Amino acid sequence: MTPRLNIEKNCLFGISSGSGRLEGFNDKVLALYAHGLTTREIQSHLEELYGTEVSPTLLSTITDAVLDDVRLWQSRPLDAVYPILYFDCLFVKSRHEGAVKSKAVYVALGVNLQGEKELLGLWVRYWGQI
């Protein structure tokens, strides 16, 4: 007789309900979101891959938590002086209004008086737009 894996019906990736989510689940959702998938597309993707349904509300909660961290980072106090500043730009492809477009991401990096590098800011611009 071959042993069978007994997983309850309301289980997410082999983790029974009430025991929490799979470790790294939020990171996986955020990675999909960062690649331009909407919460509905992520929901469909997870259902297709794992045969489980995840609510759009849960996905929105996970992605919204990152926005809180971003707002905190944006409002952090900066040093008065950065003896060394680096400015650079990199081009990334991103989906925008259903089409893949190139975006210029401008980066400002400063070295503080203690010699530590700090990311001072990121600015995004669609290539070809002013």
Side-chain angles (χ1 to χ4, degrees):
M1 183 173 179
T2 306
R4 295 180 184 242
L5 182 62
N6 185 15
I7 299 176
E8 34 177 300
K9 184 179 179 186
N10 295 328
C11 148
L12 178 61
F13 308 145
I15 308 291
S16 61
S17 56
S19 67
R21 290 190 292 275
L22 180 68
E23 186 176 327
F25 177 75
N26 290 6
D27 293 335
K28 289 174 180 53
V29 169
L30 291 173
L32 292 170
Y33 189 73
H35 280 92
L37 274 71
T38 65
T39 53
R40 299 284 179 187
E41 290 170 330
I42 295 170
Q43 179 188 24
S44 174
H45 181 72
L46 293 172
E47 187 171 353
E48 182 181 311
L49 281 178
Y50 301 106
T52 188
E53 191 172 317
V54 178
S55 74
T57 304
L58 171 63
L59 298 174
S60 292
T61 301
I62 292 169
T63 56
D64 288 349
V66 172
L67 295 178
D68 292 337
D69 291 339
V70 169
R71 286 186 194 99
L72 281 172
W73 179 79
Q74 287 175 329
S75 63
R76 78 200 184 287
L78 296 176
D79 291 352
V81 174
Y82 290 92
I84 301 172
L85 292 172
Y86 296 99
F87 296 97
D88 202 355
C89 178
L90 52 117
F91 293 92
V92 296
K93 300 266 186 209
S94 178
R95 186 169 13 151
H96 180 72
E97 297 175 353
V100 176
K101 296 184 178 185
S102 290
K103 293 181 187 178
V105 179
Y106 298 97
V107 180
L109 186 73
V111 178
N112 63 23
L113 293 172
Q114 292 77 36
E116 299 168 334
K117 293 178 186 172
E118 291 184 31
L119 180 62
L120 302 177
L122 297 167
W123 297 267
V124 179
R125 182 173 91 88
Y126 295 105
W127 188 245
Q129 293 181 346
I130 296 177

